[in-house]
C-alpha cells in the first residue's frame, strides 16, 4: 500500500484538491482495529458524520488486553462493554516479583485495587473478543459508514482531504484519523517526524489452563531478560501469558511442542498456578518502540500504534490508544460546538499537546523499566529495587502510582472520567 506524501506537510497548498471536492464526511477513520473502531464509534454516536475505512481481519494469535478502568468506562459509554464483560476477568491485585537474581532484590510487591476505591484495576479479555464486540457495535450504529477496503492514497488539501481506496472508491472528509497500525502508511506519507528503536527481545504470547486458581491476581516476574506476566482470564483457572525474553530464546520457545512449552512456563512461573497446559494459539511479537514528535498535522491525526509503539509491559499500549480515541472525540466535539473546522491545525493543537504528554510519559516509563532489567548493573538494580520498595511501603506514594497507572488525572478524556462502567 502506498500513501501519497504531502508536497508541503506544514502548509498544504489550496490546489492539492480540486475546488469541487465536497466532504461527505466530517471524519474518516482509517484502520479497523480496536483504537480505530472506538474512535469511529465515539464520533458517530455524537452525530458526527463518520466513515470507518479498513478490512476486518481476524485476530487470533493468543493475545489478550488488560482494559484499565478508564478504558472500561469509555467502552461502556460506547455501548460496547455489556457484550465484553461476561468474557473478561477482573484484575483485583497486581503482584510484582523481582526474579533478576540481583543483590538488591526487594520483597514481592502487592498492589490492591481496593486501596484506590476500585473493584479492579481493569479487566482482561481476549483481543479477538474485544475487536469483534466493537465491530458488532459499529455495524449497528447509525451515522457510521463502514467501508471494508484498504486506503490506497491520501491527498490533504486546504479545505478537505481525499482518500482513494484499494477497491477504486474515493472518500472526502474534513479530518482523517490514522489508526492504521504500527506500520502506518498514513504516518509514512504525512511528513511527521518519527523516532523508532528496537530491543533485543521478543514477546511470546499464549493462553494457559492451570490447576490452581489465579484468584483475580495478575503476577509479573521481573527477569534479567524482561518481564514474564500472567494475567487472569474468566473461570479462575485460565490465564494469558506475555513472556518477554531474548529474541532467539523467544523463537525457540515458540517452536516447542505444547507439553515442553507448558513445562518451561511452569518453571519460569515458579509453579505459582500449578500444572499448566497450552490452551490457545501462540503469538511472537518483536519488541520495538516508536514515537511521533507530534500526532497532529493539517487534516490528519494519528492514534493508537500509528502514533506510539512500545513493549507489551504494564498494560499501557491499547489503553493509551483508547485514550487517544476518547480525546479525539472531545476535540472534534469542541470544534463542532464552536463552529470550527475539525481538521484545521488550530482545532487540533490542544489535542496534539495532550497526546504528546500522555504518550511521552508512558513511553519513557516502559522503556526505562525494560532497559533497567536488561542493564545488569548494580546501581541500576539498586534504583529499581529502592523504587519498588518505596511504592510497597509508602502508602500515599503507592496510591498515587496506582491511580496514575490506571488513568492519568491531568487531561483525562470526558468519557473516561464520567459514568459508571458495568462490571463483569
Amino acid at each position: 500500500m502506498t500513501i501519497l506524501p504531502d508536497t508541503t506537510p506544514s502548509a498544504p497548498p489550496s490546489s492539492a484538491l480540486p475546488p469541487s471536492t465536497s466532504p461527505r464526511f466530517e471524519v474518516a477513520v482509517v484502520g479497523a482495529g480496536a483504537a480505530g473502531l472506538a474512535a469511529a464509534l465515539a464520533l458517530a454516536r455524537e452525530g458526527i458524520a463518520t466513515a470507518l475505512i479498513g478490512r476486518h481481519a481476524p485476530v487470533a494469535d493468543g493475545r489478550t488486553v488488560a482494559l484499565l478502568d478508564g478504558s472500561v468506562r469509555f467502552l461502556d459509554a460506547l455501548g460496547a462493554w455489556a457484550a465484553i464483560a461476561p468474557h473478561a476477568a477482573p484484575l483485583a491485585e497486581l503482584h510484582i516479583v523481582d526474579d533478576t537474581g540481583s543483590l538488591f532484590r526487594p520483597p514481592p510487591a502487592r498492589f490492591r485495587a481496593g486501596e484506590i476505591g476500585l473493584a479492579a484495576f481493569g479487566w482482561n479479555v481476549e483481543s479477538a473478543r474485544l475487536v469483534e464486540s466493537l465491530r458488532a457495535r459499529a455495524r449497528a450504529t447509525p451515522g457510521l459508514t463502514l467501508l471494508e477496503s484498504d486506503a490506497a492514497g491520501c491527498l490533504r488539501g486546504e479545505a478537505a482531504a481525499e482518500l482513494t481506496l484499494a477497491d477504486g472508491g474515493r472518500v472526502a472528509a474534513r479530518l482523517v484519523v490514522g489508526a492504521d497500525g504500527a506500520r502506518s502508511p498514513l504516518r509514512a506519507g504525512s511528513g511527521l517526524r518519527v523516532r523508532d528503536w528496537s530491543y533485543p527481545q521478543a514477546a511470546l504470547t499464549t493462553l494457559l489452563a492451570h490447576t490452581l486458581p489465579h484468584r483475580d491476581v495478575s503476577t509479573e516476574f521481573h527477569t534479567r531478560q524482561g518481564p514474564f506476566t500472567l494475567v487472569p482470564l474468566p473461570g479462575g483457572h485460565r490465564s494469558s501469558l506475555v513472556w518477554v525474553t531474548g529474541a532467539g530464546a523467544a523463537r525457540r520457545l515458540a517452536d516447542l511442542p505444547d507439553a515442553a512449552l507448558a513445562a518451561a512456563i511452569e518453571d519460569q512461573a515458579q509453579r505459582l498456578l500449578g500444572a499448566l497446559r497450552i490452551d490457545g494459539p501462540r503469538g511472537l511479537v518483536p519488541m520495538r518502540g516508536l514515537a511521533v514528535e507530534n500526532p497532529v498535522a493539517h487534516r490528519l491525526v494519528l492514534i493508537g500504534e500509528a502514533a506510539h509503539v512500545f513493549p507489551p509491559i504494564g498494560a499501557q499500549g491499547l489503553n493509551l490508544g483508547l485514550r487517544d480515541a476518547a480525546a479525539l472525540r472531545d476535540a472534534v466535539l469542541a470544534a463542532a460546538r464552536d463552529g470550527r473546522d475539525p481538521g484545521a491545525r488550530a482545532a487540533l493543537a490542544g489535542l496534539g499537546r495532550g497526546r504528546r504528554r500522555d504518550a511521552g510519559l508512558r513511553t519513557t516509563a516502559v522503556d526505562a523499566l525494560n532497559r533497567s532489567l536488561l542493564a545488569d548493573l548494580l546501581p541500576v538494580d539498586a534504583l529499581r529495587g529502592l523504587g519498588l520498595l518505596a511504592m510497597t511501603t509508602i502508602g500515599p506514594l503507592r496510591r498515587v502510582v496506582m491511580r496514575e497507572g490506571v488513568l492519568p488525572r491531568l487531561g483525562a478524556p470526558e468519557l473516561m472520567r464520567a459514568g459508571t462502567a458495568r462490571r463483569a
Side-chain angles (χ1 to χ4, degrees):
M1 178 166 35
T2 301
I3 296 294
L4 303 177
D6 294 328
T7 46
T8 311
S10 60
S14 59
S15 60
L17 290 176
S20 60
T21 298
S22 176
R24 177 183 169 191
F25 300 102
E26 283 291 289
V27 182
V29 179
V30 178
L37 283 159
L41 278 167
L43 294 168
R45 287 171 64 87
E46 299 292 347
I48 306 295
T50 305
L52 176 65
I53 299 165
R55 289 179 297 162
H56 292 180
V59 179
D61 65 355
R63 276 189 260 189
T64 66
V65 57
L67 297 165
L68 299 178
D69 186 71
S71 295
V72 172
R73 291 176 183 272
F74 181 38
L75 294 172
D76 189 49
L78 300 182
W81 180 243
I84 299 168
H87 309 283
L91 310 180
E93 293 188 26
L94 169 62
H95 295 178
I96 298 178
V97 180
D98 189 314
D99 193 26
T100 62
S102 166
L103 293 175
F104 296 96
R105 291 174 59 188
R110 292 175 172 81
F111 302 93
R112 298 175 176 84
E115 289 188 65
I116 55 173
L118 297 176
F121 292 115
W123 281 258
N124 194 37
V125 64
E126 293 183 41
S127 298
R129 178 75 65 176
L130 169 65
V131 171
E132 187 47 52
S133 296
L134 288 170
R135 286 173 184 167
R137 290 302 303 168
R139 294 185 190 107
T141 298
L144 177 55
T145 300
L146 305 183
L147 301 170
E148 294 198 28
S149 175
D150 287 332
C154 179
L155 194 61
R156 293 181 283 126
E158 188 63 34
E162 185 178 71
L163 291 157
T164 56
L165 308 185
D167 63 8
R170 290 180 178 272
V171 174
R174 299 174 80 186
L175 174 64
V176 173
V177 178
D180 50 344
R183 308 290 180 186
S184 169
L186 277 173
R187 184 186 65 232
S190 69
L192 293 171
R193 295 180 62 179
V194 177
R195 179 173 64 94
D196 61 359
W197 61 96
S198 61
Y199 302 90
Q201 300 159 289
L204 172 69
T205 64
T206 193
L207 307 180
L208 307 169
H210 40 82
T211 56
L212 298 180
H214 55 57
R215 303 185 190 281
D216 299 334
V217 175
S218 178
T219 304
E220 185 172 289
F221 293 86
H222 287 174
T223 80
R224 192 54 78 191
Q225 293 76 41
F228 170 96
T229 309
L230 298 163
V231 191
L233 283 170
H237 290 267
R238 294 182 73 239
S239 295
S240 61
L241 168 74
V242 180
W243 188 350
V244 177
T245 187
R251 285 192 296 272
R252 290 190 292 273
L253 287 165
D255 289 338
L256 290 175
D258 280 358
L261 177 58
I265 296 169
E266 278 183 37
D267 185 58
Q268 185 65 57
Q270 302 176 14
R271 289 157 184 80
L272 179 71
L273 297 175
L276 301 172
R277 66 177 173 83
I278 307 302
D279 195 39
R282 308 178 191 186
L284 190 62
V285 185
M287 295 279 281
R288 57 187 292 257
L290 179 145
V292 294
E293 187 175 275
N294 186 348
V296 166
H298 182 74
R299 305 215 171 277
L300 176 68
V301 174
L302 301 178
I303 69 171
E305 289 196 334
H308 41 72
V309 177
F310 46 79
I313 297 172
Q316 294 301 318
L318 180 58
N319 288 283
L320 183 57
L322 293 176
R323 284 204 296 279
D324 293 341
L328 171 71
R329 173 256 183 201
D330 292 354
V332 172
L333 278 187
R337 282 194 296 265
D338 297 342
R340 292 181 293 159
D341 180 348
R345 281 185 179 272
L348 300 172
L351 175 67
R353 287 192 298 271
R355 301 322 303 143
R356 282 200 307 274
R357 179 176 59 244
D358 192 6
L361 288 172
R362 307 288 154 165
T363 300
T364 299
V366 169
D367 182 71
L369 171 60
N370 191 47
R371 292 187 188 279
S372 75
L373 293 173
L374 296 173
D376 196 13
L377 297 171
L378 287 180
V380 176
D381 284 349
L383 285 173
R384 188 182 63 253
L386 286 172
L388 193 57
L389 185 63
M391 285 189 288
T392 301
T393 57
I394 303 173
L397 174 62
R398 182 173 65 253
R399 288 186 286 275
V400 166
V401 170
M402 285 191 288
R403 290 191 187 99
E404 187 65 20
V406 170
L407 180 68
R409 292 205 163 188
L410 181 62
E414 181 183 350
L415 293 184
M416 291 188 164
R417 288 184 273 113
T420 301
R422 299 181 182 94
R423 301 309 193 205

